[in-house]
Amino acid sequence: MDGPPPAPVVLAYGVGVDSTALLIEKVARGDRIDLVLTADTGVEKPATYAYLDVIRPWMDARGIRHEIVSYLPKRFKHWPPYYGLLEMCLTNATLPSKSMGGSSCSLKYKKAPQDAFLATWQPAIDAWSRGQRVTRLIGYDAGPRDTARANHALSIDDPLYACEYPLREWGWDRDACVARIVAEGLPVPPKSACWICIANQPQEIRDLPRWCLRLIVLVEARAAPRLHTVEGLWRKGTKARPGRMTDFIRNEGLLPAREVDRIWNTAPTDLIRFQDVAASIPIEDRPTMRDWIDRFNAGVAAIERPLLAA
């Protein structure tokens, strides 16, 4: 008698170098991938969103299902509805968790929406009913940084998912991943990270379009009155860069000083007024935080796709 069908295999795809190399090599080896899941935080780098125009046709041509998911809060109390990490920061006058010394960004805006999607995905539901765990492929490479992350992940026993780290099994570091993508004839994706993340290096901030820089200034200005232990998105200043990305943007001349001052001094107050007015409007008619951001960005040149379109 035949045994039960195998558990489904899901790739957590961050549209970065490691997960792209993992995807390419798994397909080349003929290994099964039933679903590729990408979690959109709303503030991925413009170049990351642009890379989807490269990799999604590649997946489509190979019959690989790809879904984009996002964290969707459901209770807004007196706030205008918001979606994504940027809008949460502006609504609550705070910085991303990592800038505040925490680590909940990835859990809330990446892992949680993927788990929510899989909870409604029939192949996963069927596997769990059979007592199986869904196989989740994670793109941690064999370099020292990802080794620490993988060791932590391996210490967590998840009854629903069996996580696998093929790049580590193959002994592939970041250079090997880059080489594999190039060998496939595909461009190498940019480093996957939110553009308001503490992990960004100075050159990555220099490479951002103007609309991203303006919003970075706004995020830090909005949070500034509530910051007591950190300076800004980079937490504390070092010899290489200040604690506030705003100071770096000003010092480097990435935005005119007058524009930085105008955003810092006026935009948070305008945003608070917007929130106060929104609170008096029935929730079903209430404008969203995105409405205010769109007004803030009006007239600003961008690659004009700050949010993923599924």
Side-chain angles (χ1 to χ4, degrees):
M1 180 180 294
D2 294 335
V9 179
V10 179
L11 170 62
Y13 183 54
V15 202
V17 170
D18 288 350
S19 57
T20 298
L22 171 56
L23 169 64
I24 291 169
E25 183 63 15
K26 274 287 187 180
V27 172
R29 294 184 183 208
D31 294 341
R32 184 166 54 89
I33 297 178
D34 298 296
L35 176 66
V36 175
L37 271 184
T38 297
D40 176 20
T41 64
V43 283
E44 302 296 332
K45 293 177 181 174
T48 297
Y49 290 128
Y51 196 77
L52 285 173
D53 293 334
V54 173
I55 199 64
R56 291 182 87 176
W58 188 93
M59 287 189 279
D60 290 343
R62 289 155 180 81
I64 300 171
R65 180 180 176 184
H66 178 226
E67 296 287 344
I68 297 169
V69 295
S70 300
Y71 170 73
L72 295 176
K74 297 178 180 179
R75 298 181 62 188
F76 301 106
K77 299 181 180 178
H78 299 301
W79 301 121
Y82 64 88
Y83 308 94
L85 183 56
L86 170 67
E87 297 174 37
M88 183 279 292
C89 289
L90 293 177
T91 298
N92 297 320
T94 189
L95 301 178
S97 173
K98 289 186 177 180
S99 294
M100 302 298 289
S103 59
S104 64
C105 293
S106 293
L107 291 175
K108 184 174 182 178
Y109 288 94
K110 291 192 175 182
K111 185 177 184 300
Q114 293 186 59
D115 288 350
F117 179 91
L118 292 172
T120 65
W121 187 49
Q122 197 61 47
I125 295 171
D126 293 342
W128 292 328
S129 71
R130 297 191 296 266
Q132 297 174 318
R133 293 194 291 178
V134 172
T135 299
R136 177 176 262 163
L137 304 178
I138 307 292
Y140 288 164
D141 64 37
R145 180 175 178 273
D146 276 3
T147 294
R149 297 166 68 190
N151 288 340
H152 172 72
L154 287 169
S155 69
I156 302 172
D157 184 28
D158 192 323
L160 299 180
Y161 301 100
C163 293
E164 296 183 359
Y165 308 92
L167 296 176
R168 298 182 53 73
E169 296 171 8
W170 304 333
W172 286 19
D173 60 10
R174 179 58 63 95
D175 290 343
C177 290
V178 169
R180 182 64 185 89
I181 295 168
V182 172
E184 186 67 15
L186 292 172
V188 178
K191 174 185 172 184
S192 177
C194 299
W195 44 264
I196 55 173
C197 182
I198 189 175
N200 284 297
Q201 298 300 312
Q203 186 56 50
E204 293 175 271
I205 301 302
R206 294 187 186 102
D207 291 340
L208 291 173
R210 181 169 168 250
W211 67 265
C212 288
L213 300 175
R214 295 178 80 250
L215 285 167
I216 285 173
V217 175
L218 174 61
V219 167
E220 291 189 323
R222 177 79 171 103
R226 300 181 62 183
L227 299 181
H228 303 291
T229 60
V230 303
E231 298 169 20
L233 288 166
W234 273 327
R235 285 182 60 76
K236 300 286 187 179
T238 68
K239 292 182 179 179
R241 43 98 183 127
R244 292 196 313 194
M245 290 185 186
T246 296
D247 295 338
F248 178 80
I249 291 168
R250 183 196 299 274
N251 296 341
E252 292 272 319
L254 302 178
L255 289 176
R258 181 178 300 178
E259 183 173 9
V260 172
D261 290 340
R262 184 170 60 251
I263 294 171
W264 192 276
N265 294 326
T266 66
T269 301
D270 182 75
L271 177 53
I272 292 170
R273 286 198 299 266
F274 168 78
Q275 289 179 287
D276 289 341
V277 171
S280 65
I281 300 173
I283 185 66
E284 62 272 13
D285 300 321
R286 193 174 297 174
T288 67
M289 180 58 68
R290 172 52 52 184
D291 294 328
W292 186 90
I293 293 172
D294 287 343
R295 292 208 305 269
F296 176 80
N297 281 336
V300 179
I303 89 168
E304 296 53 278
R305 194 165 54 162
L307 293 176
L308 271 173

